Amino acid sequence: MQVQKVDHHELFEQIYNQAPIGIALVAPTGEWRKVNPAFCCMLGFTYEELTKLTYQDITHPDDSPQDVMYNCELFEGKSKEYKYEKRYIHKNGNILWISLHVSLVRSEITDEPLYFICHIVDITDRKMSEQKLLHSEEVFKLITDHAQEIIYIADQEGVCRFCSPSVQGLLGYSPEEVIGQNNDAYFHPQDLERISQMDLTKGNLLNIRVRHKEGDYLWFETTYKVFGDAEHGQQILTIGRDISERKKQKDISAEAERIALIGSWEWDMVKDHITFSDQIFEIFELERTCKPYRISDVFDVMDSEDIASLQKHITGVKQGEPLDFEYKHISSDGREKYLHLRGLITLDEHRQPVQLNGTLQDITERKRIEFKLQESVERYTSLKKYNHDAIISFNMDGNIMNANPVAVKMTGCPVAEMIGTSISRFIGASNLGLILGSNYEMAEKEINAVRHTDGSETEVLATLAPIIINKSNVGFYLIAKDITEQKKLLVAKETAERMNKAKSEFLAMMSHEIRTPMNGVIGMTDLLLDTPGLSGEQKEYIEIIQKSGDSLLAIINDILDFSKIESGKTDLVEDPFDLVEIVTETVQIVKPLAREKKLDVRMCVEDAIPTPVYGDAYRLKQVLTNIIGNAVKFTSEGGVEIKVGVKEQCSNNVQLYFQVKDSGIGIPVERKQQLFEPFYQLENFMTRKPQGTGLGLAISKKLVELMQGEIWIEESDEPGTIFIFTAQFKLINGEESNRLDLQQKKSRTSALRILIAEDNEVNQLVLSRIVEKKGHFVDHVADGVEAIEAVKHNSYDIVFMDVHMPRLNGFEATKVIKNSLHPESCPYIIAVTANALRGDMDKCLKAGMDAYVSKPIKIESIMQALETYYIKYNL
């Protein structure tokens, strides 16, 4: 296929004629050599008309100098081309803005200028738009320069692009300081967070806080508008006015409403639109919505009776009456509120109701006070009316104001006859004089009877109470209690107390008198058994004496323990101890008898039991010994099982259970409840012989109750008996509560110097022998005076101080020793007493003694006292 040769001249001619822009050739002298149709059309000339003109003829006079300058530079070769904007004059005289691209064509041989090639584009429409925009900008600048509000433009990232000069007066910044800065530098952080969650494209009316240059935040009411498109970048126009003062006043008003629990409302009765203040929403628990509320919405949160009553009031309001309505409102959570509704009507020119304005106040607290006042009045009235005592009120002149029915009965005078008369007719003129003379205490003591109109008197216990109104004493109440029967009871009570005191003193005396000789019997028996060279027969006789003494002492201890518990004189101590050790020691006590009877004794203690626990280990051991001892005593074959475990535990306390199960013959059902009664003995079905005093289980029950537990016999189909009791103990808190090592050393080798202050020679001998056999040095004195002198002249480690001694007793001697010696040189004083009845240990410790042992003295108790001394002084 043959390719046709292109005629370039023809091609360029077609482009020249069909081009949408103007193309012209201009001679150096300014004549048009050639112009295309587009250029002729642009200027409104024909080709012939235009070619007869020069380019200066159609150029706006103001732009000619510019043309001359550019042409000269092209001639001089300073530039090859120029592109600039200028104005042509249309044939019809209109101004035509064009964009001109001009270049100079030179001769290739002589380099002489031949002609200019011009490309012309009509930009009149664009220039007109720019001028309009410039005008708009001038108007905008005029507005922004004189606006009282801040006009602010920011991009989508919050960077300020424009700010009006008013920012200087309102916030202290110059526009230059704000432009280019991000909103974060000026807006409150909480408001920035709120704005970030809003759709600003819809436009918003928003109250925000803006930081003043001095650091304070001011409130601005702002309107937002997003303009521009996403392709070229959207911007946000904000106009804000300072409402700080208005906001302050509004906040003050809202706070006042909140404090007073009062809100305002406005009801457009024509449109049925109700506008509420913020407090109304809080009171009614309504949601804040853009939709206006109607009267039906208010009725929705009221019950039917209140709706009917309110509608009746509204009818009255329309007739000119003020709205004043109280009712009870039930909130969504069931709480009762009392509300007070007030309102005033607005009428139009035809006297028709058009608007109702008012307030709603939460008066719940006031109503409660009114109810309490009413309740107080009713209680006061009931108190006077139904009081068992006579009550008479009288004023500061002594004239009776009122009286209750009991006073009428006591005086035989009706209230109507009493009122206005002097109270002296019932209590005596002298007693009234004491009252009016402000000698109230003396008057109460002297008023011991109220006179009857028949002349008789009623013995009373009088009380005077002032009547205070508005901080002023306006009268008195006389409250007279009839004590005729009480005096009889008082006499009986005093008699019973004297008898009880006599019983206590008798028990204390018997304790002392019995324990003192028993101390000699048991102490000397212990010493005899420790004597070498005893024959088998002698040892048997001494052991019989020892067992008899122990039995007698157990009976005495039971009686005294029960007496102390019954009188409420037993207090439990709270010392740390190892529970496993206490249970083990108790089992060891009964092991000899169990081995003798060939019984199997098993013990099971839970690992979960904490160590240590805090409580009275001695009393717990007393209960365990009693119950385990009974189980061994009343079991002929089989065995005894002891279980101990945790019932409940919290951070501060633990409740333990103790179960003792034996395989004996059991206890009849009808006798189980009687076991815990004092002095009740259950016969041994093997021997038919009574055992002990019958106080063991009664004492155990009382002790368990003191330990906040209970004791019972468990029902079981198996042979034997199951005793269960519970007891509560405290736990130590904190990191220092690691397990305490309660294992104490059982023997000490340090020799001590000991003083024994005892007036009874037998007791002195027993105690001396026990101490000396352990390698200690002993001195003796017979009374408190000698004890003081001995301590002054010698250095003793321990003093065994008998409480009852001639000349000066143990309490007084201890006090003198403690006061006269420095604590570091003062000996360890151990009280020795036969009176084991009432709080003896506390009494001894309060007197300054360090420890306590009771008679009859046993080697174990003395060793325990010495062990306590070793532990205290880390010996």
Side-chain angles (χ1 to χ4, degrees), residues 62-73:
D62 293 342
D63 294 337
S64 292
Q66 180 182 229
D67 288 341
V68 173
M69 179 184 69
Y70 287 144
N71 291 342
C72 291
E73 290 181 357

Side-chain angles (χ1 to χ4, degrees), residues 68-127:
V68 173
M69 179 184 69
Y70 287 144
N71 291 342
C72 291
E73 290 181 357
L74 288 172
F75 281 131
E76 294 172 1
K78 293 181 179 179
S79 177
K80 294 182 179 181
E81 61 182 6
Y82 276 105
K83 183 178 181 179
Y84 60 98
E85 295 176 358
K86 62 177 288 187
R87 286 165 289 182
Y88 281 152
I89 300 173
H90 194 275
K91 182 180 179 180
N92 60 13
N94 292 335
I95 300 300
L96 187 70
W97 276 96
I98 59 102
S99 174
L100 177 64
H101 181 277
V102 60
S103 60
L104 180 64
V105 177
R106 295 178 181 272
S107 171
E108 294 180 356
I109 300 172
T110 63
D111 198 35
E112 290 293 323
L114 301 177
Y115 54 85
F116 295 99
I117 298 178
C118 300
H119 293 83
I120 305 99
V121 177
D122 185 354
I123 60 170
T124 305
D125 290 341
R126 193 194 79 188
K127 293 298 286 186

